[in-house]
Amino acid sequence: MTAPQRSAFDTVLGLPEGGVPRSAWISAIAAMVVVVVSSNVLVQFPVAAHVGSLDLADLLTWGTFSYPAAFLVTDLTNRRFGAAVARRVVVAGFLVAVVLSIAIATPRIAIASATAFLIGQLLDVTVFDRLRRSVTWWKAPFVGSFLGSITDTTVFFSLAFAAAFTMLGAGSDFASGQAPMFGLLAVETPRWVSWAIADLAVKLLCAALFLVPYRLVMNILWPIRDVRPASI
């Protein structure tokens, strides 16, 4: 009995042979597209809330909370289908991010957003793949998301606002202007530094919180068996 022929579409996408139903990776790509699109919409809406004297609207948008779900999608895909398919999902999200960023942002912001997404997500895929056989089930998704989030935030805010990257386009005088850090502290920094720290704090919090849906979903789709050393 001969094996089914791979379609030209599968070959172009670089999907591995066998074992990955087309409906599965299409669902993963669709989930990534939903996250990217919703984040690009929600980034236009500041978080209208206060924590004591801290005005969150000066630091965060709702897109900050939806964007980390991209790491969850990547990690679930990586765990179930492997790094090759996860990278294809990342590329699909990257292409959507490029189109949306060009449509709603300045060229410099578009370059920063797309570059940060691609580098951060691909780093997450690589780290996760290296740690997938770890004894502790949470290490691969958490460390991958942790390092990917730090990289994503650093790349985006540096390319988008730092004076060192003005060759990418004109900067924002408001973002680069000096202001009390978080609008509270005596020390003054460019506003984008406070934005970056707040953004990273939310991403790292989400990296921890998203371990719950990660474990629940994987127990349904592909039960995780903790690897424990044999007793002596």
Side-chain angles (χ1 to χ4, degrees):
M1 186 173 180
T2 58
Q5 295 291 321
R6 277 165 59 84
S7 69
F9 189 57
D10 292 340
T11 302
V12 170
L13 283 176
L15 292 170
E17 295 187 28
V20 183
R22 181 173 298 179
S23 60
W25 55 260
I26 287 179
S27 297
I29 289 175
M32 181 63 81
V33 169
V34 168
V35 172
V36 172
V37 172
S38 61
S39 296
N40 275 271
V41 173
L42 292 173
V43 76
Q44 303 174 61
F45 300 95
V47 177
H50 289 78
V51 177
S53 300
L54 181 64
D55 187 356
L56 296 182
D58 291 339
L59 300 171
L60 299 169
T61 70
W62 288 111
T64 309
F65 293 86
S66 62
Y67 181 82
F71 290 102
L72 177 61
V73 173
T74 300
D75 291 345
L76 287 171
T77 305
N78 200 344
R79 175 75 188 196
R80 183 64 181 88
F81 301 113
V85 176
R87 291 189 182 97
R88 300 302 181 238
V89 172
V90 168
V91 170
F94 167 75
L95 295 176
V96 173
V98 169
V99 173
L100 291 176
S101 295
I102 291 175
I104 67 177
T106 64
R108 181 171 177 179
I109 295 296
I111 293 172
S113 177
T115 303
F117 176 88
L118 186 62
I119 295 176
Q121 292 294 321
L122 290 180
L123 177 61
D124 178 33
V125 171
T126 300
V127 173
F128 186 104
D129 194 48
R130 295 287 181 87
L131 297 176
R132 69 166 58 249
R133 292 179 179 83
S134 172
V135 173
T136 49
W137 65 267
W138 54 264
K139 184 173 292 185
F142 180 74
V143 176
S145 297
F146 182 88
L147 296 178
S149 295
I150 293 175
T151 302
D152 181 284
T153 297
T154 302
V155 171
F156 173 75
F157 283 95
S158 296
L159 294 182
F161 303 116
F165 296 98
T166 52
M167 78 286 293
L168 298 177
S172 166
D173 291 337
F174 180 77
S176 301
Q178 296 289 315
M181 182 173 285
F182 308 122
L184 296 175
L185 304 181
V187 60
E188 291 195 349
T189 62
R191 289 185 178 87
W192 68 264
V193 173
S194 294
W195 300 345
I197 295 173
D199 176 88
L200 180 58
V202 170
K203 286 177 181 172
L204 297 184
L205 175 62
C206 288
L209 294 178
F210 283 169
L211 289 175
V212 175
Y214 172 88
R215 179 79 183 205
L216 291 176
V217 171
M218 287 313 306
N219 278 346
I220 295 172
L221 299 181
W222 192 27
I224 300 173
R225 296 178 176 84
D226 288 330
V227 179
R228 300 182 185 281
S231 57
I232 301 176

